[in-house]
Amino acid sequence: ISSLQKKVAKNPKDAASWRSLATAYETKHDTQGAISALLKYTQLKPKDASGLQELATEYTTLADTYNTQAQSAEVASATANLSPTFLPSSSTTFGKAFTSTTGPLSDPISNANAGTANQQTQTLIQQLTQVESQAEDVFKQLAKLNPNDASTQIQLGQAAQAANDTPTAIAAFKRFLVLAPTDPLAPQVK
């Protein structure tokens, strides 16, 4: 990787070296590094469908990672505080002592852990949302290059759906059904 980094530093317009660097990062399971290199590569070769597909796949991989991490952070947040199941009702004086973050029976360590986990969850959700949008943008580029490719249309639809872009998702799914009405996925898409 270091030799390829030196190579692209010397010649930042060498598309082949950026692609090789992306592949090296992918081999090392460095998704962020692969994305950075593929972004440079696709800027130099904006009509390379395989490079765009690879970039979209890396964004999808990163989105999956953020989603898993966000779910884990949500679990950590939920378990950081005492379970309400075992606490007295919060409408009683005794219950209020437990549920108040400043009450005499509050647990400052659990409260701090819950706050940290909540912040971590929010950050991961923001990153997830951004990456899903970036994946959708790349699939849009692919769809412009290959408007009659059913596979690209369904991938765009899925990426748009993940990014909460319903109009784009519907349009891509409709286009998929026009291009591949007998595809095994067509009944599910309908």
Side-chain angles (χ1 to χ4, degrees):
I1 290 179
S2 64
S3 65
L4 288 168
Q5 288 172 328
K6 290 175 187 172
K7 195 171 183 180
V8 296
K10 284 183 184 178
N11 187 1
K13 294 190 181 209
D14 181 359
S17 293
W18 282 110
R19 185 70 183 256
S20 295
L21 181 59
T23 301
Y25 281 128
E26 289 169 352
T27 302
K28 296 285 186 183
H29 304 287
D30 181 349
T31 306
Q32 292 278 14
I35 287 172
S36 294
L38 284 166
L39 280 170
K40 293 286 188 182
Y41 175 78
T42 57
Q43 287 171 354
L44 295 168
K45 299 280 187 181
K47 295 186 180 192
D48 182 351
S50 68
L52 289 168
Q53 181 67 50
E54 198 172 329
L55 177 58
T57 299
E58 290 299 322
Y59 275 132
T60 302
T61 299
L62 187 57
D64 289 344
T65 300
Y66 286 150
N67 189 33
T68 300
Q69 290 173 349
Q71 289 173 354
S72 294
E74 284 176 334
V75 169
S77 176
T79 59
N81 285 321
L82 293 173
S83 172
T85 305
F86 301 108
L87 294 176
S89 170
S90 62
S91 63
T92 67
T93 304
F94 191 54
K96 288 178 184 173
F98 274 106
T99 57
S100 168
T101 57
T102 58
L105 297 176
S106 70
D107 180 2
I109 294 173
S110 291
N111 290 340
N113 287 341
T116 300
N118 284 336
Q119 180 60 43
Q120 194 175 32
T121 301
Q122 291 306 312
T123 299
L124 288 164
I125 289 171
Q126 289 171 348
Q127 290 171 327
L128 172 63
T129 301
Q130 180 181 7
V131 168
E132 287 172 337
S133 177
Q134 290 167 321
E136 179 189 8
D137 290 343
V138 175
F139 279 117
K140 283 179 179 177
Q141 289 177 285
L142 273 169
K144 283 181 185 175
L145 288 176
N146 300 312
N148 295 321
D149 181 39
S151 177
T152 299
Q153 292 299 325
I154 197 162
Q155 289 173 324
L156 171 58
Q158 291 167 336
Q161 189 175 23
N164 293 316
D165 181 355
T166 303
T168 299
I170 290 171
F173 288 140
K174 284 182 177 179
R175 181 80 177 132
F176 167 78
L177 291 171
V178 167
L179 295 170
T182 61
D183 188 283
L185 292 174
Q188 186 179 359
V189 170
K190 288 179 184 179

